[in-house]
Amino acid sequence: MNEPAPSFGALTLAFARIGCLSFGGPAAQIAMMHRVCVEEKGWIREDRYLHALNYCMLLPGPEAQQLATYIGWLTHGVRGGIVAGLLFVLPGLAVIIGLSTAYALYQDAGWLSGLFFGLKAAVLTIVLEAVLRLSRRTLKTRFLRLLSVLAFLALFVLALPFPLVVVVAGLAGYLRARRLPAEPAAADPVETRRPRPPLGTALLQLGFWVLVWQLPFLVLSPVAGAESLAALFAFFSKMALVTFGGAYAVLAYVAQVAVENYGWLRPGEMLDGLALAETTPGPLVLVLSYVGYLVGFRTVPGLEPVIGGILGALLVAWATFVPSFIWIFAGAPYIERLRGKPQISAALSAITAAVVGVIANLALWFGLHVLFADVHRLPLFPGWTGEGAPGLWWPRLASLDPAALILFLVSAILLLRLKIGMVKVLGLCAAAGLLWRLAGF
């Protein structure tokens, strides 16, 4: 017997709670939504939840926020998707803006650098835990494990474009599944509640949402003195279209492009932002609003730095999160029609396996920069250098920071072995880093 769909009020209260308590990055947030929406409330079935998750993993941008939007759309249409998606983001956005203000104003204070020194080591453990959790959840066959390893090598060694890795992984999963027998999909409480709109209506809706998304750019472009904000919005709009693979893939893209190519931040500052985002509720990609805050704080003429920073943070949040609503409202009705097709499900599962390789790539890149002061890229082939050339990130071993290594090992034992909560581990490492710096080390 089907369970009743949630009332709009129940949906709002549930996602308000999720938005305020969703610490721990996408792995923890996806688990929290599963517990609330599948196990506790019974709003959707397990297979429907995993189907939605695989689709969101395929999309560019933050998969956890897209999944929240998808669940809201399934139960109450567009208004449900907007409410669930916004409530998942807004509490953390308010917190990250406040923390970014403190960081920008007091970045040079010794006590603050000590806090971030400790937080970085704990963040590295959290990213490693995300790799392990997602691996256990998704890499259930030898084929999927092989895809994950190949995706990691393609990104870390060959520096191949992530969209190419996604397409190849999805195609491999699709072709392999063509030989498998089809399995009927089970019904669930909201199986028939969201019909597919006519193609003309869908195109009009898509055009409307794209216009809403790009409205800030249309307003800022002709305004004198707002060139840096317009450039910032344009960059993160492009980022929103190419950063496949969820939150960790977004961070990898921004770290390697905004830091290395644009020079907006130093690698250490990017890790500081990741530490801030790990201590706030909501999507991990809220770290991008921290990036926008620093750019606005430092580069907007004619405005107080804090006002410029807030504008930069809000613009980046708009550019990053509005497309997530577009992907769900435009694509989910059609994806729902494909849910019973084993080839499509296999392709989505293969893409999720490739995403595990992406996160592993990010974990190793961050780990090298946390533990070593000097990291450089060794070309795989002599004479072939430059952006996109095959190679290996390699540290100068003498630049190893013993304190960072000790804090990383301690946080790994606390989080992975003793199962102490993430917020407690972050607090302990921050306090240890602060004491280390105040002691003059």
Side-chain angles (χ1 to χ4, degrees), residues 12-13 20 79 95 145 155 205 238 278 282 296 315 341 412 439:
T12 301
L13 289 175
C20 292
R79 69 167 184 161
V95 173
R145 290 191 288 271
L155 293 167
Q205 292 174 347
K238 295 175 185 176
E278 288 284 9
L315 285 172
K341 298 184 181 298

Side-chain angles (χ1 to χ4, degrees), residues 84-375:
L86 285 179
L87 288 176
F88 192 80
V89 171
L90 291 180
L93 178 60
V95 173
I96 202 71
I97 289 176
L99 292 176
S100 298
T101 302
Y103 181 87
L105 293 175
Y106 306 111
Q107 183 179 8
D108 295 331
W111 65 270
L112 191 58
S113 66
L115 287 176
F116 280 105
F117 173 73
L119 283 172
K120 289 174 187 177
V123 166
L124 176 57
T125 303
I126 291 169
V127 176
L128 177 61
E129 185 190 33
V131 175
L132 297 175
R133 282 187 178 182
L134 194 57
S135 298
R136 289 192 294 265
R137 183 182 294 271
T138 61
L139 304 183
K140 298 179 179 179
T141 67
R142 181 179 300 177
F143 174 73
L144 294 178
R145 290 191 288 271
L146 176 62
L147 280 181
S148 180
V149 171
L150 292 176
F152 169 80
L153 294 175
L155 293 167
F156 188 78
V157 178
L158 301 180
L160 294 179
F162 183 78
L164 176 62
V165 176
V166 166
V167 170
V168 172
L171 182 60
Y174 175 83
L175 294 176
R176 185 173 183 274
R178 292 187 65 179
R179 301 190 304 255
L180 302 178
E183 296 182 1
D188 71 351
V190 291
E191 181 68 41
T192 60
R193 293 178 187 272
R194 302 271 71 86
R196 181 178 62 181
L199 181 59
T201 301
L203 291 176
L204 288 175
Q205 292 174 347
L206 177 62
F208 169 78
W209 284 108
V210 170
L211 179 62
V212 169
W213 175 34
Q214 289 300 302
L215 187 60
F217 182 77
L218 298 176
V219 172
L220 289 170
S221 294
V223 177
E227 293 84 358
S228 60
L229 290 177
L232 181 73
F233 186 85
F235 168 76
F236 279 99
S237 293
K238 295 175 185 176
M239 179 277 303
L241 296 177
V242 301
T243 48
F244 294 86
Y248 288 101
V250 171
L251 298 181
Y253 180 86
V254 172
Q256 294 177 359
V257 176
V259 174
E260 297 175 6
N261 294 3
Y262 285 82
W264 283 343
L265 302 123
R266 297 182 297 273
E269 289 183 323
M270 192 65 196
L271 290 172
D272 290 344
L274 181 57
L276 284 179
E278 288 284 9
T279 62
T280 64
L284 189 59
V285 291
L286 284 169
V287 66
L288 302 184
S289 288
Y290 155 88
V291 175
Y293 187 99
L294 291 186
V295 174
F297 185 90
R298 295 167 177 171
T299 64
V300 179
L303 287 178
E304 289 293 327
V306 171
I307 300 300
I310 293 174
L311 285 177
L314 293 176
L315 285 172
V316 169
W318 189 278
T320 300
F321 292 112
V322 170
S324 296
F325 294 100
I326 298 176
W327 309 140
I328 301 305
F329 298 152
Y334 298 92
I335 290 296
E336 284 296 300
R337 292 297 183 94
L338 300 175
R339 190 167 64 88
K341 298 184 181 298
Q343 294 90 348
I344 301 299
S345 296
L348 294 174
S349 296
I351 289 168
T352 305
V355 168
V356 176
V358 176
I359 301 176
N361 170 57
L362 174 66
L364 184 54
W365 189 90
F366 275 159
L368 291 173
H369 285 84
V370 168
L371 300 177
F372 296 90
D374 183 9
V375 181

